Amino acid sequence: VSSRNIRIGLVGCGVVGTGVLDILHAHAGTIEKRLGARLVVEQIAVRNLNRKRAEIVPTELLTDDPLAVARNPNVDIVVEVMGGIEPAEQVLREALERGKHVVTANKALLAQRGREIFALARKYKRVVGFEASVCGAIPLIEGIARGLSGCDIKKVQGIVNGTTNYILYRMLEDRADFAKVLKDAQDKGLAERNPRFDIDGIDAMHKLCILTYICFGVWPDHKRVYAEGIRNISLADILYAEELGYRIKLLAIAHKENNILDLRVHPALVVLDHPLAEVDGAYNAAFLDTYPAGQLLFYGMGAGGVPTSSAVIADIINIGSGAGELPGGEEKALFKKSKDIKARYYLRCMAKDVPGVLAQITRIFSACNISIASVKQRERNKGQVVPVLMITHEVKEDNLRRAIGKIDKLPFIKGPSQVIRIEDL
Amino acid sequence: VSSRNIRIGLVGCGVVGTGVLDILHAHAGTIEKRLGARLVVEQIAVRNLNRKRAEIVPTELLTDDPLAVARNPNVDIVVEVMGGIEPAEQVLREALERGKHVVTANKALLAQRGREIFALARKYKRVVGFEASVCGAIPLIEGIARGLSGCDIKKVQGIVNGTTNYILYRMLEDRADFAKVLKDAQDKGLAERNPRFDIDGIDAMHKLCILTYICFGVWPDHKRVYAEGIRNISLADILYAEELGYRIKLLAIAHKENNILDLRVHPALVVLDHPLAEVDGAYNAAFLDTYPAGQLLFYGMGAGGVPTSSAVIADIINIGSGAGELPGGEEKALFKKSKDIKARYYLRCMAKDVPGVLAQITRIFSACNISIASVKQRERNKGQVVPVLMITHEVKEDNLRRAIGKIDKLPFIKGPSQVIRIEDL
């Protein structure tokens, strides 16, 4: 019995694309058995036809026109792993309009144009596979969209960017500062030469937009999602946090309460015995609070070409087996206003060690309605600048920022104070 | 626009069944929106028509004939949450033969008759939803079968029984012995009056059979899967293991190497910094080693009616949205013979504290080809019985059992020695 062919058009042939070809080749037998169909690569679009490619890449299938793949009548599923907004968006659009299913690992594109792309897919009754766009190898999209479709999701807290998690981890392990660890990571190829997207939280914010769609059926305006990276996290803060029983992680958070969504990416202190505190190195994880399934953790390798390829293949197999569109559709939601944000905070003020410092600081907090849970003046060194560490009770962020503004103007305070949110779990 | 109805027949209305009715009621709007269809309960089979039921249960739909539901022409999906082998198997069989999809939480049934049930489903091109059968609320079946369908799974290690994990956790936390904690758990309703299935590893073994199907496409003969429970784990062993840097967990393990499957359920020492060591209380988790997706952890609530209901609902929604049969089919495999098992072991011999003890013990080990990595005589108490703790290098289990047999016959050894495998991760 000869099985049918499912014809793949690959757009982009970098690490992920080559990984996809590798798996398709190595697992051809298993996949055909599972699927009752053969996955056949029909065409491959690359940026540069002359570049030397891995042996696995069949050069006779190459084109340098990505749209040719989207328009190729012999292609059933277009797999976009080229990245960037244009022409990736046009590739997906034209493929969907021609009745093809699409698979994409492109988180920036989905975060910015996801609403339109999914609307188009619904219109043409096609599937957008996007497992690879968030937390690489972790089957998080399937797990949430299908496995938890009977649940209300209340909160997601994710470590969704491997580069920043690796940097924070190495800073702690090696007692090294941010700049040194970043440079090492760049030298090892674990961080980009231009690391802005990762370290400023933009990549994590893109993934948060996609998670928000999966968990709450809402595409937020990515320009309005708060994203703060890890540039300002000092080794001192990491070590002080440990002493206080916390670990600093860059979290992507989506929290729904009374139908209001609170979305944000920022470094946060998480208690040491929480599963997210233990997510080391370049690993990713997502912690969910749901009803009635309770608390869940998904953990695995995030970025990286080869693990990500497995997510792309899973999408292709799913589509090939007729799995259909993930339960979705679009909901409406209100978003939390920053003035309504309440949280506990870690503060570090650098103050000259002179009498009366604490009294003046606490007076300002009190005037701004900030209630302090604990104060720790870690080192005594008369006349020198020493850190004053404080943990607040739950306070309004607005009030806190106002207080810090005043404190940083005090004559005995040196340099801007550090403010990091404590994320209760 | 009126949407179509998907008609549910519920077989069993205990905690899980009532939970399913609860969610269907509370989430009716959301589900209809997601699915483009209404989930309507058509009939409910219960054991006892006269028993008082929760208000959510529509008494006019009750029957005491489970087969009536399977044969009801107005039912599209039969949801079996009654447990037991018969008549549950007949219910599933008759439903499939009549072209109905089925959803089941029945791990004992699947472990024993899974091969036949899935073959029948393939024959009639129907879906068996069984997300609720392993690790309750964790979307593990979806995650593996769909999310990792592009991967080779090398190894699964699961904490799949909440009761035993709770007991081991409480023994450690409360420094209490097994019998006391078991009784407490029974009084709190966290362990059954007849706890045999849980504490002897049988429930975990059933789940391991299902995991083996999902991960490797093989239905093992459940009667031949090694299952050892936690009855013989003493508080002393738990505390010694901690000192040595390990935690004792009841693990269900499926490991594929050179196309040979090694399946077993037993208590094991896992290193403290492994994610499975941190799975406390009644939580469940599965740790997977895969290629190319790498290492993955799924963590969440295991047993319990309400979380399990959410998995049942997810299956219903998936089937309702046309998700089709999970990639599967049946593979062939060889199973590892016990004589081929090699591992590291924790040993505790209770020996009289007299000169020459260690020399005699180590001589026996040496003669049996057992290489000892470390020995610790924890307490000195001349003439009294004290524990001698040993960790072996990787050794053949056969050799080890032989050595222990000899050691336990030595005049200065009291009571059977404890042997617990160390599970490297």
Side-chain angles (χ1 to χ4, degrees):
Chain A
V1 188
S2 80
S3 50
R4 76 200 157 97
N5 286 346
I6 296 173
R7 298 161 303 174
I8 311 291
L10 192 59
V11 181
C13 199
V15 187
V16 178
T18 308
V20 168
L21 293 173
D22 269 332
I23 303 177
L24 285 179
H25 180 75
H27 291 213
T30 327
I31 293 174
E32 186 174 350
K33 212 162 169 183
R34 265 191 208 164
L35 205 51
R38 246 190 313 268
L39 296 177
V40 180
V41 179
E42 193 72 24
Q43 197 173 23
I44 303 171
V46 296
R47 233 173 285 266
N48 179 354
L49 285 172
N50 299 319
R51 206 179 120 189
K52 191 157 164 54
R53 309 254 157 212
E55 219 171 289
I56 193 81
V57 181
T59 47
E60 71 279 11
L61 302 182
L62 297 184
T63 167
D64 60 1
D65 178 8
L67 291 173
V69 178
R71 293 168 186 160
N72 185 334
N74 295 324
V75 164
D76 303 308
I77 303 177
V78 170
V79 175
E80 183 272 307
V81 287
M82 72 187 307
I85 302 300
E86 282 305 342
E89 185 189 15
Q90 201 184 345
V91 167
L92 295 190
R93 198 157 18 89
E94 294 216 10
L96 289 168
E97 285 167 356
R98 281 166 178 77
K100 301 179 199 310
H101 301 290
V102 300
V103 172
T104 178
N106 195 329
K107 56 242 176 182
L109 175 58
L110 289 179
Q112 292 173 47
R113 310 282 165 85
R115 177 184 287 126
E116 295 73 21
I117 291 167
F118 280 84
L120 206 61
R122 278 193 296 275
K123 180 175 168 193
Y124 290 96
K125 298 195 191 310
R126 297 292 104 177
V127 178
V128 180
F130 58 119
E131 187 63 73
S133 66
V134 183
C135 291
I138 309 173
L140 188 62
I141 304 288
E142 277 295 326
I144 296 175
R146 279 192 216 279
L148 300 178
S149 57
C151 287
D152 265 343
I153 293 169
K154 292 186 270 184
K155 196 177 193 176
V156 195
Q157 295 167 314
I159 294 174
V160 296
N161 181 273
T163 303
T164 45
N165 202 55
Y166 176 81
I167 291 174
L168 292 172
Y169 171 69
R170 286 251 69 90
M171 287 173 74
L172 173 62
E173 287 290 300
D174 305 343
R175 303 290 192 264
D177 67 20
F178 175 77
K180 182 180 177 313
V181 173
L182 173 61
K183 197 184 167 303
D184 282 357
Q186 287 174 319
D187 291 346
K188 287 185 184 139
L190 293 165
E192 312 256 353
R193 278 295 137 203
N194 178 352
R196 200 176 66 85
F197 261 48
D198 289 323
I199 66 177
D200 289 340
I202 299 165
D203 174 75
M205 181 272 284
H206 288 156
K207 290 163 177 166
L208 180 62
C209 291
I210 298 170
L211 281 177
T212 304
Y213 174 61
I214 284 298
C215 294
F216 306 108
V218 174
W219 281 109
D221 176 355
H222 70 101
K223 292 197 207 81
R224 299 181 62 183
V225 176
Y226 180 75
E228 176 191 334
I230 63 164
R231 272 184 210 269
N232 296 322
I233 301 298
S234 71
L235 174 60
D237 292 317
I238 289 177
L239 297 176
Y240 296 150
E242 292 284 320
E243 274 179 42
L244 296 165
Y246 296 94
R247 189 151 296 155
I248 298 181
K249 292 291 183 187
L250 181 68
L251 296 187
I253 300 160
H255 186 184
K256 190 176 183 181
E257 218 172 12
N258 305 323
N259 225 30
I260 293 174
L261 273 174
D262 181 14
L263 306 178
R264 48 206 159 80
V265 170
H266 57 71
L269 273 70
V270 296
V271 281
L272 284 179
D273 65 357
H274 189 277
L276 285 181
E278 305 285 341
V279 176
D280 290 338
Y283 275 85
N284 280 195
F287 185 80
L288 285 89
D289 192 8
T290 74
Y291 182 83
Q295 299 188 327
L296 297 147
L297 182 84
F298 298 77
Y299 164 98
M301 285 166 80
V306 183
T308 305
S309 314
S310 82
V312 170
I313 297 284
D315 276 342
I316 296 174
I317 294 179
N318 263 330
I319 292 172
S321 67
E325 180 63 13
L326 290 165
E330 218 188 322
E331 306 280 331
K332 284 199 172 60
L334 296 169
F335 294 92
K336 195 149 189 170
K337 299 194 178 80
S338 69
K339 73 172 178 52
D340 294 329
I341 291 175
K342 277 184 183 178
R344 297 196 301 131
Y345 291 86
Y346 156 95
L347 309 173
R348 174 178 50 78
C349 302
M350 299 305 289
K352 253 199 178 154
D353 190 6
V354 292
V357 166
L358 272 182
Q360 286 203 53
I361 291 178
T362 49
R363 201 175 308 133
I364 290 175
F365 279 132
S366 162
C368 293
N369 235 328
I370 303 295
S371 156
I372 299 292
S374 69
V375 180
K376 209 166 176 180
Q377 196 167 340
R378 238 191 109 272
E379 299 146 29
R380 299 306 313 259
N381 200 344
K382 266 220 157 85
Q384 300 302 301
V385 174
V386 294
V388 180
L389 308 179
M390 282 161 287
I391 300 278
T392 73
H393 284 295
E394 195 170 82
V395 299
K396 281 199 163 187
E397 178 155 335
D398 269 12
N399 292 350
L400 182 72
R401 298 279 172 195
R402 200 151 42 86
I404 292 293
K406 287 181 185 173
I407 287 168
D408 282 358
K409 280 182 201 134
L410 292 175
F412 53 78
I413 296 286
K414 299 293 157 205
S417 296
Q418 176 68 287
V419 179
I420 309 176
R421 201 185 302 225
I422 296 173
E423 191 61 25
D424 285 312
L425 299 147
Chain B
V1 187
S2 78
S3 49
R4 79 199 155 98
N5 287 346
I6 296 174
R7 297 160 305 173
I8 311 291
L10 192 60
V11 180
C13 199
V15 186
V16 177
T18 308
V20 168
L21 294 174
D22 268 333
I23 303 176
L24 286 179
H25 179 76
H27 291 212
T30 327
I31 293 173
E32 185 174 351
K33 212 164 172 182
R34 266 191 206 164
L35 206 50
R38 245 192 310 268
L39 297 176
V40 180
V41 178
E42 192 73 23
Q43 196 173 22
I44 303 171
V46 294
R47 232 173 283 266
N48 179 353
L49 285 172
N50 299 317
R51 205 178 120 191
K52 193 158 162 50
R53 309 258 158 208
E55 219 170 291
I56 194 82
V57 181
T59 46
E60 70 280 10
L61 301 182
L62 296 185
T63 168
D64 58 2
D65 178 8
L67 292 173
V69 178
R71 294 168 184 161
N72 186 335
N74 295 324
V75 164
D76 303 309
I77 303 177
V78 170
V79 176
E80 184 272 307
V81 287
M82 72 188 307
I85 303 300
E86 283 304 343
E89 186 190 16
Q90 200 183 346
V91 166
L92 295 190
R93 198 158 19 88
E94 295 215 12
L96 289 168
E97 285 167 356
R98 281 167 178 77
K100 302 179 199 307
H101 300 291
V102 300
V103 173
T104 178
N106 196 330
K107 56 241 174 182
L109 175 60
L110 289 179
Q112 294 174 45
R113 313 279 166 85
R115 178 184 288 127
E116 296 74 22
I117 290 167
F118 279 85
L120 206 61
R122 278 195 294 275
K123 179 174 166 193
Y124 290 97
K125 297 193 189 311
R126 297 291 103 176
V127 178
V128 180
F130 58 119
E131 186 63 72
S133 67
V134 184
C135 292
I138 308 173
L140 187 62
I141 304 288
E142 277 295 325
I144 296 174
R146 281 192 214 279
L148 300 178
S149 56
C151 287
D152 265 341
I153 294 169
K154 292 187 269 183
K155 196 177 194 177
V156 195
Q157 296 166 313
I159 294 173
V160 296
N161 180 274
T163 303
T164 45
N165 203 55
Y166 176 81
I167 291 174
L168 292 171
Y169 171 69
R170 285 253 68 92
M171 286 172 74
L172 173 62
E173 287 291 300
D174 305 344
R175 304 287 192 266
D177 66 20
F178 175 76
K180 184 181 176 310
V181 172
L182 172 61
K183 196 183 167 304
D184 282 357
Q186 287 174 317
D187 291 346
K188 286 185 185 138
L190 294 165
E192 312 257 352
R193 278 295 137 201
N194 179 351
R196 199 175 67 85
F197 262 47
D198 289 322
I199 66 177
D200 288 340
I202 300 166
D203 174 76
M205 181 271 285
H206 288 156
K207 290 162 177 166
L208 180 63
C209 291
I210 299 170
L211 282 176
T212 304
Y213 174 62
I214 284 298
C215 294
F216 305 108
V218 175
W219 281 109
D221 176 356
H222 71 101
K223 291 197 207 82
R224 299 180 62 182
V225 176
Y226 180 76
E228 176 191 335
I230 63 164
R231 271 184 211 269
N232 296 322
I233 301 299
S234 70
L235 173 61
D237 292 317
I238 291 177
L239 296 176
Y240 297 150
E242 293 284 320
E243 274 179 40
L244 296 164
Y246 296 94
R247 190 151 297 156
I248 298 181
K249 292 291 184 189
L250 181 69
L251 296 187
I253 300 160
H255 186 184
K256 191 176 184 180
E257 218 172 11
N258 305 323
N259 224 32
I260 292 174
L261 273 174
D262 180 14
L263 306 179
R264 47 205 159 82
V265 170
H266 56 71
L269 273 71
V270 296
V271 281
L272 284 179
D273 65 358
H274 189 277
L276 284 182
E278 305 284 342
V279 177
D280 290 337
Y283 274 86
N284 279 195
F287 185 80
L288 285 90
D289 193 8
T290 75
Y291 182 82
Q295 299 187 327
L296 297 147
L297 182 83
F298 298 77
Y299 163 99
M301 284 166 81
V306 183
T308 305
S309 313
S310 81
V312 169
I313 296 284
D315 276 343
I316 297 174
I317 294 178
N318 264 329
I319 293 173
S321 67
E325 181 61 15
L326 290 165
E330 218 189 322
E331 305 281 331
K332 284 197 173 59
L334 295 169
F335 294 93
K336 194 152 190 167
K337 298 194 179 81
S338 70
K339 72 171 178 56
D340 295 330
I341 291 175
K342 278 184 182 177
R344 298 195 301 132
Y345 291 85
Y346 156 95
L347 310 173
R348 173 178 49 80
C349 302
M350 298 306 290
K352 253 198 179 156
D353 190 7
V354 291
V357 167
L358 272 182
Q360 288 203 52
I361 291 177
T362 49
R363 200 175 308 134
I364 291 175
F365 279 133
S366 164
C368 293
N369 235 330
I370 303 296
S371 157
I372 299 292
S374 69
V375 181
K376 210 168 175 178
Q377 195 168 341
R378 237 192 111 267
E379 298 147 30
R380 298 305 312 258
N381 200 344
K382 266 219 158 88
Q384 300 303 301
V385 174
V386 294
V388 180
L389 308 179
M390 283 160 287
I391 301 277
T392 72
H393 284 295
E394 196 171 80
V395 299
K396 280 199 166 187
E397 177 155 334
D398 269 11
N399 292 350
L400 183 70
R401 297 280 173 194
R402 201 151 41 86
I404 291 294
K406 287 180 185 174
I407 287 168
D408 283 357
K409 281 182 200 133
L410 292 173
F412 51 78
I413 295 286
K414 298 296 158 204
S417 297
Q418 177 67 286
V419 179
I420 309 176
R421 201 185 299 227
I422 296 172
E423 191 60 25
D424 284 312
L425 298 148

